[in-house]
Amino acid sequence: MSKSGHKIRLYNTLSKAKERFEPIDPDNVRMYVCGPTVYDYAHIGNARPAIVFDVLFRLLRQTYGADHVTYLRNITDVDDKINARAARDFPGVPLNEAIRKLTATTERQYQDDMKELGCLDPTRQPRATENIDEMIAMITTLIEQGHAYEAQGHVLFRVASFRQGEQTRYGELSHRSLDDMIAGARVEVAPYKKDPMDFVLWKPSDDDQPGWDSPWGNGRPGWHIECSAMSRKFLGPTFDIHGGGIDLSFPHHENERAQSCCANGTERMARIWMHNGFLQINGEKMSKSLGNFFTVHELLHGTKFGGRSWPGDVLRLAMLTRHYREPIDLSVDRLTEAERMLERWKRAMAASGLDFVEANRGACEALGPCSKLLAALSDDMNMAGVLTHLHRHAKASESGTRLHNAQRLFGSLNLLGIVSFDSMKNWQEATEKLQENADVDVEKITVAIAQRKAALAEKNWAEADRIRDQLASEGIRLTDSKDTETGERITRWEVVK
RNA sequence: GGCGCGGUGGGAGAGUGGUUAUCCAGCGGCCUGCAAAGCCGUGUACACCGGUUCGAAUCCGGUCCGCGCCUCCA
C-alpha cells in the first residue's frame, strides 16, 4: 500500500496483464528507462517515452515520496551510428575527440529538449562510456558461467543457455518462441555464431573505431550489455520497473533480460516491463524518406510542423491525450486542440482567484491532485480518465466552487508536469505584460467604458455598440458580465493580439 | 513467412456483458439590448458474419481492413 493510500496498477508486457504494483522496497522504488543514443537531435518519437515515464516518475514520487524513487535513464554514447556521424561532422579531428564533441553537444540538446517538455531530470543518467568496466565484468561472469563464449575477437551470448530446467526462457518477454524466431529470421548469420540467435556482447574495434582494452582485446561493447551493466550497478540485480518503446521489446529488452538474469543468477531482472506505443505523424510512420521526420527542437522552435512552433506544454499535453500503450498520431489538429484546452485551463485558474505571485509560491506548490484523478492515473496511467477530471475542475472553477476547483486543477496539472508554479507565473506575467505593453491609453478606455455605460443606461444601444466597435477596431475587446451579488453590469477590457 | 496490436458516433478518445464516459464541432435552449464568455439539454456509435446468453459493442469462432515487430530504431 502506498503512503497516500491509492493503489497503482500497471500493465506488464511480460504477463500481458495489468498488475498491482508492489515495490520491492517502498523506500526506494527503482525504475530504469532506455534513453537516447546521442548522435543527432531527438525526434518527436523519442519524446514519448521520456514524457510517459516522466509522468510515471511523478506518480511514484507522489505515492512513495519524492526521495524514495530512483529513476535511471541511460545515455548511449558508444554506438556505430555515433562513429559514422562523428567522422562525417568533424572531418580531420581525431575520432575520439570528434565522438566526444558530438555526444556532448547532442546530449546537451537532448537535456534542453526534455526540460522544455516539462520532464524532470531522472535521478541519474549514466553514460555507457563511463561504465565500460562494469560491462566487461558482467561479460566475464557470463563467460565463466558458460552463458557466453568468445569467437574471433567477439564475445557472444549463448541464447540457449537462458533456461529453467528444460524450458528456454528466451522469448518470454516478447512472447515468441525460438523456433519462430529462427524460422522468421531474415538476417544472414555471422559465421562465428554457434547458434543463429546468439548475439554480441563485445566486438573488436579497428584502429579507426573507439575501443577499450578487455580480456578479449581492444574492442567495444554490444548495444544490449550497457543497460544490463548500468541497471545492476545503480539499481541492483532486480528492480521494479523497466520501461522503453515497444520496438525495444525485441531484441533489446529480451537480450538485456537474458544477460542480467544469467549474470546475476536471478529469476527476474525487473518486476514490471512497460512499453509505450509508437508515434505516427498524420497517420504515417515517421521516417526521413517520407519527409515527415520532425525533431523535438523543430517542433519547439521551428516552423516546419503546421507553419509554426509549438510550446513544450502543448506538446506534452498532446502527447498525453492518448493512452501510452496505444500508437499516437501526432497532427496539427491534435496539437491545436491541446493548446485550446490548456489555454482554457490557464484562464480558468487565473480567473478563479489563483494568483501566481511569489508570495503564493509555497501554498500553490503544496496543492495536490484530486483523488479521483489520482485513481485514474494510478490505473495504468489512464489519461482519458485523468482528462475527464481535469475538465470537470476547469468547468467547476468557471462556474461553481471556483477557488477550490482551480486549486485542484492546478494541483493536478502540476503533478502531471503540464504546468508548474513558474510556468503559470510566467503566463500570468506575460498576459499582464501584453496589456501593459500594448499601445493603449488606459485613461481613454476607462472614459469610453463609462460613456458606454451611460449610453446603456439610456438604452441607447447604437451609441453603446459604436463605442464598443470603435475600441474593437483599436484592438481592445470589451466583455460584459453580471456581478453575481448585485446584478450590476461589469465591463472588462483586454488587448487582443 | 513467423509473432503481436488495433478497428467506437462529424473529429479526438475511454470504458464496459444490461445503467450518461469525457473533450471539440453541430443542433436546441438559458443568460444577454446585442456580442463575447458561460450554463443546461441534445447524437441512429461501437468493422463484418456467425455463436454463447434473458441480454454483446463488451465473451467465443471466422472474415475483411489498418498497423507494428522479426534489421538500427523510442
Side-chain angles (χ1 to χ4, degrees):
Chain A
M1 183 62 87
S2 68
K3 286 176 182 163
S4 51
H6 58 277
K7 298 166 188 165
I8 295 180
R9 281 156 49 83
L10 298 171
Y11 181 88
N12 188 351
T13 305
L14 188 58
S15 64
K16 296 168 91 170
K18 274 191 208 175
E19 292 178 11
R20 173 76 180 278
F21 178 68
E22 296 281 3
I24 298 165
D25 176 5
D27 286 331
N28 185 18
V29 181
R30 289 157 289 162
M31 172 164 79
Y32 186 94
V33 175
C34 291
T37 301
V38 284
Y39 69 102
D40 201 350
Y41 280 105
H43 63 249
I44 189 65
N46 291 312
R48 175 115 105 138
I51 292 171
V52 163
F53 291 105
D54 179 66
V55 170
L56 181 57
F57 181 39
R58 289 167 182 269
L59 172 64
L60 293 170
R61 284 159 58 98
Q62 168 79 22
T63 306
Y64 297 98
D67 298 332
H68 300 288
V69 184
T70 305
Y71 169 26
L72 204 70
R73 187 176 64 199
N74 67 299
I75 302 282
T76 299
D77 59 352
V78 50
D79 183 275
D80 289 352
K81 281 196 296 283
I82 293 175
N83 305 340
R85 184 61 67 96
R88 191 195 79 182
D89 289 357
F90 301 96
V93 176
L95 187 68
N96 280 345
E97 199 185 322
I99 287 175
R100 213 167 28 248
K101 282 186 178 175
L102 174 71
T103 55
T105 352
T106 313
E107 188 191 328
R108 197 162 53 242
Q109 284 160 356
Y110 181 80
Q111 305 296 0
D112 290 348
D113 286 345
M114 294 312 121
K115 202 169 281 293
E116 273 196 73
L117 293 174
C119 296
L120 299 171
D121 284 336
T123 318
R124 298 189 88 110
Q125 301 193 67
R127 289 184 194 77
T129 53
E130 291 170 3
N131 294 281
I132 300 286
D133 288 347
E134 284 77 5
M135 298 182 213
I136 291 174
M138 187 174 261
I139 295 170
T140 305
T141 308
L142 287 169
I143 293 175
E144 283 168 3
Q145 297 181 349
H147 295 297
Y149 57 92
E150 192 183 351
Q152 297 179 25
H154 295 71
V155 180
L156 290 131
F157 183 85
R158 193 193 309 274
V159 163
S161 77
F162 182 36
R163 57 170 56 250
Q164 188 160 41
E166 290 302 300
Q167 190 68 36
T168 182
R169 297 192 58 201
Y170 191 77
E172 283 177 339
L173 178 62
S174 50
H175 303 288
R176 51 187 92 194
S177 75
L178 269 177
D179 290 345
D180 290 342
M181 286 186 270
I182 292 164
R186 296 195 310 226
V187 254
E188 221 173 295
V189 178
Y192 46 78
K193 287 190 182 181
K194 289 185 181 169
D195 182 287
M197 293 312 295
D198 290 350
F199 57 88
V200 168
L201 296 172
W202 189 265
K203 51 189 168 185
S205 292
D206 299 336
D207 291 343
D208 61 349
Q209 288 170 322
W212 289 263
D213 284 332
S214 81
W216 322 285
N218 185 262
R220 58 199 196 282
W223 175 37
H224 316 295
I225 193 72
E226 65 168 288
C227 292
S228 287
M230 293 193 285
S231 64
R232 177 171 78 175
K233 178 176 178 183
F234 296 108
L235 301 179
T238 302
F239 48 93
D240 296 293
I241 297 169
H242 189 124
I246 185 68
D247 55 310
L248 292 181
S249 62
F250 187 89
H252 184 52
H253 292 161
E254 195 72 67
N255 292 357
E256 261 184 58
R257 184 166 173 268
Q259 292 162 351
S260 288
C261 290
C262 289
N264 300 331
T266 48
E267 193 196 330
R268 295 199 276 196
M269 178 185 188
R271 286 207 166 177
I272 297 194
W273 291 81
M274 295 178 67
H275 294 97
N276 63 271
F278 239 67
L279 177 137
Q280 297 186 310
I281 299 286
N282 297 318
E284 288 182 307
K285 180 173 175 167
M286 181 168 70
S287 72
K288 285 179 181 165
S289 57
L290 285 171
N292 63 354
F293 188 90
F294 299 96
T295 64
V296 175
H297 190 78
E298 274 162 4
L299 277 152
L300 286 170
H301 302 290
T303 56
K304 279 190 187 168
F305 198 77
R308 50 165 290 190
S309 62
W310 300 91
D313 53 3
V314 170
L315 282 169
R316 183 178 177 95
L317 176 59
M319 204 72 93
L320 293 173
T321 52
R322 180 123 161 113
H323 188 90
Y324 76 92
R325 277 191 276 125
E326 301 297 327
I328 191 172
D329 188 23
L330 199 70
S331 63
V332 170
D333 280 353
R334 188 186 286 277
L335 290 172
T336 308
E337 195 175 333
E339 183 165 56
R340 272 204 230 125
M341 249 187 250
L342 197 49
E343 193 63 28
R344 183 182 173 185
W345 291 340
K346 286 177 180 172
R347 265 189 284 125
M349 286 188 276
S352 303
L354 273 183
D355 194 9
F356 297 94
V357 293
E358 208 52 49
N360 293 340
R361 177 183 290 273
C364 283
E365 289 182 342
L367 292 170
C370 89
S371 57
K372 284 183 182 170
L373 179 141
L374 198 54
L377 188 63
S378 301
D379 181 15
D380 196 34
M381 294 197 276
N382 182 351
M383 281 304 300
V386 166
L387 288 173
T388 299
H389 290 106
L390 291 174
H391 286 302
R392 293 224 168 105
H393 286 301
K395 190 172 279 203
S397 73
E398 279 163 339
S399 53
T401 343
R402 299 169 70 95
L403 184 59
H404 171 76
N405 279 287
Q407 287 171 335
R408 280 286 182 244
L409 183 57
F410 176 79
S412 301
L413 288 170
N414 189 216
L415 169 67
L416 295 165
I418 293 168
V419 304
S420 64
F421 178 82
D422 285 312
S423 78
M424 285 306 297
K425 182 163 170 266
N426 291 339
W427 179 84
Q428 191 176 315
E429 285 169 359
T431 310
E432 285 163 6
K433 210 168 174 186
L434 183 65
Q435 312 298 321
E436 285 165 14
N437 284 3
D439 186 20
V440 294
D441 184 340
V442 177
E443 189 69 19
K444 197 185 106 188
I445 294 170
T446 312
V447 170
I449 289 175
Q451 288 172 347
R452 174 165 172 270
K453 200 173 175 183
L456 288 169
E458 295 165 15
K459 296 201 190 293
N460 186 349
W461 313 130
E463 173 62 7
D465 289 352
R466 191 195 61 74
I467 294 169
R468 187 169 62 192
D469 292 345
Q470 172 63 30
L471 287 172
S473 72
E474 292 165 21
I476 310 296
R477 179 163 64 203
L478 297 188
T479 50
D480 294 337
S481 60
K482 231 200 287 192
D483 188 298
T484 46
E485 307 267 305
T486 65
E488 197 185 340
R489 180 191 295 258
I490 302 166
T491 302
R492 291 201 177 83
W493 64 273
E494 63 183 321
V495 178
V496 185
K497 240 197 305 193

